[in-house]
Amino acid sequence: MSGSRERVLARVRAALTDVPRDETPQDVDVPRGYAPDHDQGEAVGLLVDRLEDYQALVHRTTPADLAGELARALARRGAYRVAAPADAPGEWFAHTERDVVRDTGLGVADLDGMDGVVTGCAAAIAETGTIVLDAGRAQGRRALTLIPDYHLCVVRADQVVAGVPQALPRLDPRRPLTWISGPSATSDIELDRVEGVHGPRTLEVLIVE
């Protein structure tokens, strides 16, 4: 073990000497003097504005019409074979005749051969236009939403929060988190926009309210 590492660990141990062994982070009240949001308007409307600004496709629908809207989205896309988490609600796909393949361990080549993926999310942040997945129910594992080139995401209105601080308590820190702000894009050294490097080039969002 290096001398630097020993010194760092020694300082950590010294700082923890007065902490009871059964104390958890939740037992300590941490002052948080920042605003949870910036009062930029009604959350769902703001999320739609931000997502569209990021060139995502956005549709607002109702629980009764979700299956129909989802079927229409897949038809517009021309997606005939899509992946979905194993625990995604079956009623989402009640009106589509497309081939929905449940992910029970699909390989990279299998995922790459899909026309898209349909998932839910853990939270959506209006101010940043960000959808967050934490591998919880109906979200699947990270590879499921990073390999197919088209991602259709179902967001319930009660999952939309105004700011990032409001989203964090809704996420499971023990699981990998995927933060999505529009279609995957980056810029090369000459600032030319390149899409699809780190994930799907097309993000479509169905907001259920």
Side-chain angles (χ1 to χ4, degrees):
M1 186 177 293
S2 71
S4 296
R5 183 176 181 182
E6 269 299 309
R7 286 194 294 273
V8 170
L9 291 176
R11 290 183 181 182
V12 172
R13 294 189 192 98
L16 295 175
T17 53
D18 60 344
V19 178
R21 296 185 66 83
D22 58 348
E23 184 176 283
T24 68
Q26 290 73 27
D27 295 330
V28 181
D29 184 23
V30 179
R32 303 186 188 280
Y34 48 79
D37 64 78
H38 299 87
D39 193 22
Q40 297 185 43
E42 184 264 330
V44 173
L46 183 61
L47 175 66
V48 172
D49 179 72
R50 294 291 191 270
L51 287 169
E52 290 179 340
D53 194 45
Y54 289 145
Q55 302 179 24
L57 306 172
V58 187
H59 310 276
R60 300 174 76 158
T61 187
T62 64
D65 197 37
L66 172 59
E69 193 66 60
L70 190 149
R72 290 189 286 274
L74 295 180
R76 283 193 301 270
R77 173 69 182 180
Y80 291 94
R81 193 163 185 260
V82 296
D87 57 354
E91 55 266 29
W92 286 3
F93 308 101
H95 292 174
T96 184
E97 296 179 352
R98 309 299 166 135
D99 186 11
V100 179
V101 180
R102 299 289 183 164
D103 178 34
T104 55
L106 293 169
V108 172
D110 296 322
L111 292 172
D112 194 41
M114 295 290 169
D115 294 322
V117 58
V118 181
T119 76
C121 71
I125 304 166
E127 290 184 349
T128 61
T130 304
I131 294 170
V132 191
L133 281 65
D134 69 355
R137 185 173 184 270
Q139 298 166 55
R141 57 199 169 106
R142 296 196 75 193
L144 186 63
T145 54
L146 295 179
I147 295 178
D149 201 31
Y150 168 69
H151 183 188
L152 178 58
C153 188
V154 176
V155 179
R156 300 193 317 269
D158 64 4
Q159 293 176 311
V160 180
V161 298
V164 173
Q166 297 168 338
L168 295 178
R170 297 178 176 226
L171 307 176
D172 188 338
R174 298 166 300 180
R175 297 196 289 242
L177 304 178
T178 303
W179 298 63
I180 303 167
S181 295
S184 171
T186 188
S187 296
D188 64 14
I189 196 170
E190 296 181 341
L191 300 182
D192 291 328
R193 180 182 172 94
V194 180
E195 297 182 339
V197 176
H198 308 295
R201 284 180 292 186
T202 302
L203 173 66
E204 190 158 9
V205 181
L206 304 181
I207 298 178
V208 187
E209 53 190 337

